[in-house]
């Protein structure tokens, strides 16, 4: 999905955040009822229990667990894999999603999502159940969130209300830190 008006760093500030999963409930309350960290703190190895909203029509899933397998801040890559319930209950032996945030220029990027699955052939009838529209919906919600917060931040800066948070970059030049997550 192309994102115009937000850099890869700004989008990654959300995808790479330990608070991403809590934010998803706020951004998509019609999809997610609740999300709980089962083990660890939101970093690699964290197990997250996700519960879909009752009556959610998009999937024949109610709840499932995912594990955060990779959070690569340098390459802006997040990899999650279902470990219990969800697609695994529908005959899939493997269900993994990779999110990559690719810079196009200073104010645009691409959110690339790759879904990798394996399904036992006796469950071939369930092969069409993989729903990418929910993943696309997540990308749209995050992009909108970043752009809305960026617009509020830019408006505040124009009015002289706040100062952007700065940190030292790799080349010892100051750089602006991306959009923070407001829960």
């Amino acid at each position: 999905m192309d994102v115009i008006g937000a850099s890869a760093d700004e989008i990654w500030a959300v995808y790479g955040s330990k608070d991403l999963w809590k934010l998803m409930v706020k951004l998509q309350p019609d999809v997610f009822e609740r999300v709980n960290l089962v083990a660890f703190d939101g970093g690699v190895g964290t197990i997250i229990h996700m519960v879909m909203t009752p009556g959610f029509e998009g999937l024949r899933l109610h709840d499932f667990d995912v594990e955060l397998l990779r959070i690569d801040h340098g390459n802006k890559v997040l990899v999650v894999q279902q470990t219990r319930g969800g697609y695994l209950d529908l005959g899939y032996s493997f269900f993994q999603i990779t999110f990559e945030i690719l810079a196009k220029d200073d104010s645009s990027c691409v959110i690339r999502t790759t879904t990798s699955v394996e399904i036992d052939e006796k469950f071939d009838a369930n092969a069409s159940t993989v729903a990418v529209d929910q993943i696309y919906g997540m990308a749209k919600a995050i992009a909108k969130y970043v752009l809305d917060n960026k617009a509020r931040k830019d408006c505040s800066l124009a009015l002289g209300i706040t100062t952007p948070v700065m940190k030292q970059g790799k080349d010892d030049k100051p750089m602006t830190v991306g959009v923070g997550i407001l829960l």
Side-chain angles (χ1 to χ4, degrees):
M1 178 181 124
D2 285 326
V3 179
I4 308 298
S7 71
D9 288 338
E10 290 167 326
I11 296 294
W12 179 253
V14 176
Y15 274 95
S17 168
K18 291 183 178 186
D19 292 324
L20 169 64
W21 308 102
K22 293 179 209 171
L23 182 64
M24 290 317 306
V25 175
K26 180 180 177 182
L27 295 180
Q28 293 187 292
D30 55 327
V31 176
F32 298 104
E33 179 180 304
R34 70 180 179 278
V35 173
N36 302 316
L37 297 182
V38 175
F40 303 113
D41 66 352
V44 171
T46 295
I47 305 293
I48 301 167
H49 179 71
M50 305 181 85
V51 179
M52 308 304 276
T53 302
F56 177 65
E57 301 296 326
L59 301 170
R60 294 185 296 161
L61 313 174
H62 175 65
D63 70 315
F64 52 90
D65 292 347
V66 297
E67 180 178 354
L68 303 183
L69 297 181
R70 180 176 172 206
I71 303 171
D72 182 340
H73 295 291
N75 292 309
K76 299 176 183 60
V77 176
L78 171 66
V79 179
V80 300
Q81 181 175 321
Q82 282 194 0
T83 57
R84 187 201 59 80
Y87 286 106
L88 302 180
D89 287 349
L90 297 176
Y92 291 80
S93 57
F94 180 80
F95 188 88
Q96 185 178 80
I97 303 174
T98 301
F99 302 95
E100 298 174 87
I101 313 304
L102 308 168
K104 288 177 81 174
D105 56 40
D106 289 343
S107 63
S108 65
C109 64
V110 172
I111 301 172
R112 178 186 296 161
T113 306
T114 305
T115 303
S116 304
V117 301
E118 291 178 13
I119 189 167
D120 188 305
E121 60 186 53
K122 67 183 176 185
F123 295 104
D124 278 351
N126 291 339
S128 64
T129 60
V130 175
V132 296
D133 51 334
Q134 284 76 31
I135 298 167
Y136 180 69
M138 177 180 165
K140 283 185 0 183
I142 289 172
K144 181 180 182 326
Y145 174 80
V146 170
L147 291 169
D148 288 351
N149 279 299
K150 186 175 178 179
R152 280 195 291 276
K153 177 182 159 191
D154 290 347
C155 179
S156 295
L157 289 173
L159 296 172
I161 297 170
T162 51
T163 305
V165 177
M166 303 294 281
K167 74 174 189 178
Q168 204 68 24
K170 288 181 183 176
D171 56 1
D172 292 328
K173 293 180 182 174
M175 59 184 239
T176 303
V177 175
V179 177
I181 292 184
L182 307 172
L183 294 175

